[in-house]
mmCIF file of all heavy atoms in Angstrom:
data_model
loop_
_atom_site.group_PDB
_atom_site.id
_atom_site.type_symbol
_atom_site.label_atom_id
_atom_site.label_comp_id
_atom_site.label_asym_id
_atom_site.label_seq_id
_atom_site.Cartn_x
_atom_site.Cartn_y
_atom_site.Cartn_z
ATOM 1 N N ASP A 202 -7.582 -3.232 20.417
ATOM 2 C CA ASP A 202 -7.904 -3.943 21.653
ATOM 3 C C ASP A 202 -7.330 -3.216 22.866
ATOM 4 O O ASP A 202 -7.947 -3.142 23.911
ATOM 5 C CB ASP A 202 -7.357 -5.376 21.608
ATOM 6 C CG ASP A 202 -8.095 -6.203 20.562
ATOM 7 O OD1 ASP A 202 -9.157 -5.741 20.106
ATOM 8 O OD2 ASP A 202 -7.613 -7.289 20.218
ATOM 9 N N ARG A 203 -6.136 -2.682 22.676
ATOM 10 C CA ARG A 203 -5.497 -1.991 23.787
ATOM 11 C C ARG A 203 -6.213 -0.706 24.157
ATOM 12 O O ARG A 203 -6.000 -0.136 25.211
ATOM 13 C CB ARG A 203 -4.038 -1.686 23.430
ATOM 14 C CG ARG A 203 -3.158 -2.885 23.679
ATOM 15 C CD ARG A 203 -1.800 -2.691 23.094
ATOM 16 N NE ARG A 203 -1.130 -1.511 23.654
ATOM 17 C CZ ARG A 203 0.144 -1.226 23.401
ATOM 18 N NH1 ARG A 203 0.853 -2.026 22.675
ATOM 19 N NH2 ARG A 203 0.696 -0.154 23.916
ATOM 20 N N ARG A 204 -7.035 -0.260 23.270
ATOM 21 C CA ARG A 204 -7.721 0.996 23.529
ATOM 22 C C ARG A 204 -9.178 0.790 23.962
ATOM 23 O O ARG A 204 -9.920 1.749 24.090
ATOM 24 C CB ARG A 204 -7.683 1.878 22.284
ATOM 25 C CG ARG A 204 -6.368 2.581 22.102
ATOM 26 C CD ARG A 204 -6.386 3.349 20.810
ATOM 27 N NE ARG A 204 -7.506 4.301 20.762
ATOM 28 C CZ ARG A 204 -7.393 5.558 21.131
ATOM 29 N NH1 ARG A 204 -6.273 6.029 21.569
ATOM 30 N NH2 ARG A 204 -8.433 6.357 21.040
ATOM 31 N N LYS A 205 -9.555 -0.438 24.168
ATOM 32 C CA LYS A 205 -10.966 -0.703 24.498
ATOM 33 C C LYS A 205 -11.384 0.080 25.746
ATOM 34 O O LYS A 205 -10.634 0.199 26.686
ATOM 35 C CB LYS A 205 -11.174 -2.193 24.707
ATOM 36 C CG LYS A 205 -11.576 -2.873 23.412
ATOM 37 C CD LYS A 205 -12.069 -4.268 23.646
ATOM 38 C CE LYS A 205 -12.326 -4.893 22.296
ATOM 39 N NZ LYS A 205 -11.824 -6.235 22.224
ATOM 40 N N GLY A 206 -12.585 0.555 25.742
ATOM 41 C CA GLY A 206 -13.077 1.246 26.914
ATOM 42 C C GLY A 206 -12.750 2.737 26.864
ATOM 43 O O GLY A 206 -13.217 3.512 27.672
ATOM 44 N N GLN A 207 -12.012 3.115 25.916
ATOM 45 C CA GLN A 207 -11.610 4.508 25.813
ATOM 46 C C GLN A 207 -12.400 5.131 24.662
ATOM 47 O O GLN A 207 -12.705 4.450 23.689
ATOM 48 C CB GLN A 207 -10.140 4.494 25.467
ATOM 49 C CG GLN A 207 -9.449 5.801 25.597
ATOM 50 C CD GLN A 207 -8.088 5.674 24.948
ATOM 51 O OE1 GLN A 207 -7.452 4.640 25.020
ATOM 52 N NE2 GLN A 207 -7.691 6.722 24.301
ATOM 53 N N SER A 208 -12.714 6.415 24.786
ATOM 54 C CA SER A 208 -13.463 6.999 23.679
ATOM 55 C C SER A 208 -12.544 7.044 22.463
ATOM 56 O O SER A 208 -11.470 7.625 22.497
ATOM 57 C CB SER A 208 -13.959 8.398 24.052
ATOM 58 O OG SER A 208 -12.897 9.300 24.042
ATOM 59 N N SER A 209 -12.957 6.426 21.442
ATOM 60 C CA SER A 209 -12.067 6.249 20.305
ATOM 61 C C SER A 209 -12.072 7.460 19.407
ATOM 62 O O SER A 209 -13.110 8.030 19.102
ATOM 63 C CB SER A 209 -12.518 5.035 19.502
ATOM 64 O OG SER A 209 -11.747 4.944 18.336
ATOM 65 N N SER A 210 -10.909 7.879 19.014
ATOM 66 C CA SER A 210 -10.840 8.996 18.081
ATOM 67 C C SER A 210 -10.635 8.452 16.672
ATOM 68 O O SER A 210 -10.333 9.160 15.751
ATOM 69 C CB SER A 210 -9.675 9.912 18.439
ATOM 70 O OG SER A 210 -8.461 9.216 18.251
ATOM 71 N N CYS A 211 -10.775 7.162 16.538
ATOM 72 C CA CYS A 211 -10.472 6.581 15.240
ATOM 73 C C CYS A 211 -11.753 6.166 14.527
ATOM 74 O O CYS A 211 -12.829 6.133 15.097
ATOM 75 C CB CYS A 211 -9.528 5.396 15.405
ATOM 76 S SG CYS A 211 -8.725 5.004 13.857
ATOM 77 N N GLN A 212 -11.576 5.853 13.279
ATOM 78 C CA GLN A 212 -12.731 5.652 12.412
ATOM 79 C C GLN A 212 -13.029 4.182 12.186
ATOM 80 O O GLN A 212 -13.628 3.832 11.202
ATOM 81 C CB GLN A 212 -12.506 6.350 11.079
ATOM 82 C CG GLN A 212 -11.301 5.863 10.305
ATOM 83 C CD GLN A 212 -10.026 6.521 10.749
ATOM 84 O OE1 GLN A 212 -9.726 6.537 11.944
ATOM 85 N NE2 GLN A 212 -9.258 7.047 9.843
ATOM 86 N N VAL A 213 -12.560 3.346 13.094
ATOM 87 C CA VAL A 213 -12.699 1.918 12.855
ATOM 88 C C VAL A 213 -14.162 1.505 12.721
ATOM 89 O O VAL A 213 -14.509 0.688 11.888
ATOM 90 C CB VAL A 213 -11.977 1.118 13.955
ATOM 91 C CG1 VAL A 213 -12.388 -0.323 13.926
ATOM 92 C CG2 VAL A 213 -10.482 1.233 13.735
#
Side-chain angles (χ1 to χ4, degrees):
D202 292 346
R203 278 169 59 172
R204 281 176 57 93
K205 269 192 185 136
Q207 193 192 324
S208 74
S209 174
S210 66
C211 199
Q212 60 276 51
V213 166

